Amino acid sequence: MMTRRDALKTTALATAACATASSVSTLFAQTAAAPAGPFSLPALPYATDALEPHIDARTMEIHHDKHHAAYVTNLNKALAAHPDLGQRSVEELLGHLGTLPQEIQTAVRNQGGGHFNHSLFWQMMKKSGGQPSGDLAKAIDTGFGSFTGFQTKLTEAATKVFGSGWAWLLLQEGKLVIESSPNQDNPVMKGVAPGAVLLGLDVWEHAYYLKYQNRRPDYIAAWFNVINWDFVSERFAKA
Ligand code: MN
């Protein structure tokens, strides 16, 4: 026969079980309720192993499916209470950060920056990237002396980023310019037209650590093999 003490114990256990069950269902409810939009994760334009051996498949998978996905989810969360802002493009939001409600500025800067930067980054790479040609090749020679000169300058900018960030190739007043930025910042946040951002190199450790560990310069050197120069040329022609 169950004593009063046992009965109390059973009740306590049942209550604890219910509490666990309810917090699990709350968790699922929150996941399900995470806003599906307005922004969504673009698919990679190639298979995750397309850039092997320079960028390994596992890195591409985690980088795109986890890191980029998280930027999108968190950007949507930040905008959930501001449906009007969700109507705007991410470029528009980034170009006017100072006009956004104070409480979401940091989130849009970090998560929106992450979304914009990675959306471009995937397209800026392809298998057997080759070398630039035509007008872009000429502009690179004019701006940096030679392709090697350009490579040296971009490598330098990317190597010097302390911690996480990006190195960029921009078109500014008809000239090619190399810059870098910390975190998920980008030139659009400083007023550069989105189309003038020609090329971006992600030097966050998540972009290379699995294969290259602390050897960022090796990753940068390898990355030059997978630059999608057709894509960069198209942007250059439009800008
Ligand atoms: Mn990244």
Side-chain angles (χ1 to χ4, degrees):
M1 217 181 110
M2 206 186 240
T3 63
R4 185 175 141 73
R5 199 188 157 136
D6 285 339
L8 281 175
K9 223 193 249 172
T10 309
T11 312
L13 281 174
T15 311
C18 276
T20 308
S22 94
S23 54
V24 167
S25 63
T26 310
L27 191 68
F28 277 115
Q30 277 169 355
T31 308
F39 294 99
S40 56
L41 179 67
L44 274 182
Y46 34 69
T48 51
D49 63 356
L51 309 179
E52 292 265 14
H54 308 294
I55 316 263
D56 62 290
R58 186 76 179 124
T59 295
M60 287 301 290
E61 196 182 308
I62 297 172
H63 199 174
H64 175 269
D65 299 359
K66 306 291 181 196
H67 290 281
H68 189 172
Y71 296 127
V72 172
T73 303
N74 291 326
L75 176 61
N76 286 333
K77 273 187 196 159
L79 295 176
H82 304 274
D84 50 318
L85 295 174
Q87 306 295 313
R88 300 169 72 177
S89 67
V90 68
E91 295 93 310
E92 271 184 297
L93 294 173
L94 298 177
H96 302 91
L97 280 176
T99 68
L100 303 180
Q102 189 90 48
E103 70 272 18
I104 62 165
Q105 283 184 15
T106 302
V108 173
R109 180 177 181 172
N110 293 336
Q111 315 298 338
H115 177 41
F116 175 83
N117 296 347
H118 288 86
S119 299
L120 273 181
F121 188 58
W122 311 131
Q123 301 176 75
M124 287 167 170
M125 297 186 288
K126 73 172 209 181
K127 193 177 189 67
S128 314
Q131 287 220 347
S133 58
D135 289 345
L136 178 60
K138 275 183 217 156
I140 285 177
D141 287 346
T142 307
F144 308 103
S146 63
F147 182 74
T148 311
F150 156 74
Q151 208 164 355
T152 304
K153 277 241 163 184
L154 189 69
T155 299
E156 199 178 277
T159 309
K160 273 190 187 161
V161 172
F162 183 74
S164 301
W166 292 73
W168 305 99
L169 174 68
L170 315 173
L171 188 65
Q172 289 283 269
E173 289 157 15
K175 280 188 179 169
L176 292 178
V177 176
I178 287 173
E179 280 184 8
S180 65
S181 60
N183 308 312
Q184 294 297 354
D185 285 2
N186 61 45
V188 177
M189 296 174 189
K190 300 193 305 180
V192 172
V197 179
L198 303 183
L199 185 62
L201 168 53
D202 186 347
V203 292
W204 280 58
E205 282 187 345
H206 69 217
Y208 63 85
Y209 205 85
L210 285 182
K211 186 176 169 82
Y212 297 98
Q213 293 84 48
N214 60 318
R215 304 185 311 276
R216 186 191 286 183
D218 291 356
Y219 156 70
I220 295 171
W223 179 78
F224 275 96
N225 293 299
V226 295
I227 299 176
N228 184 350
W229 287 110
D230 296 336
F231 182 77
V232 180
S233 284
E234 251 173 63
R235 291 179 78 77
F236 176 70
K238 280 187 202 153

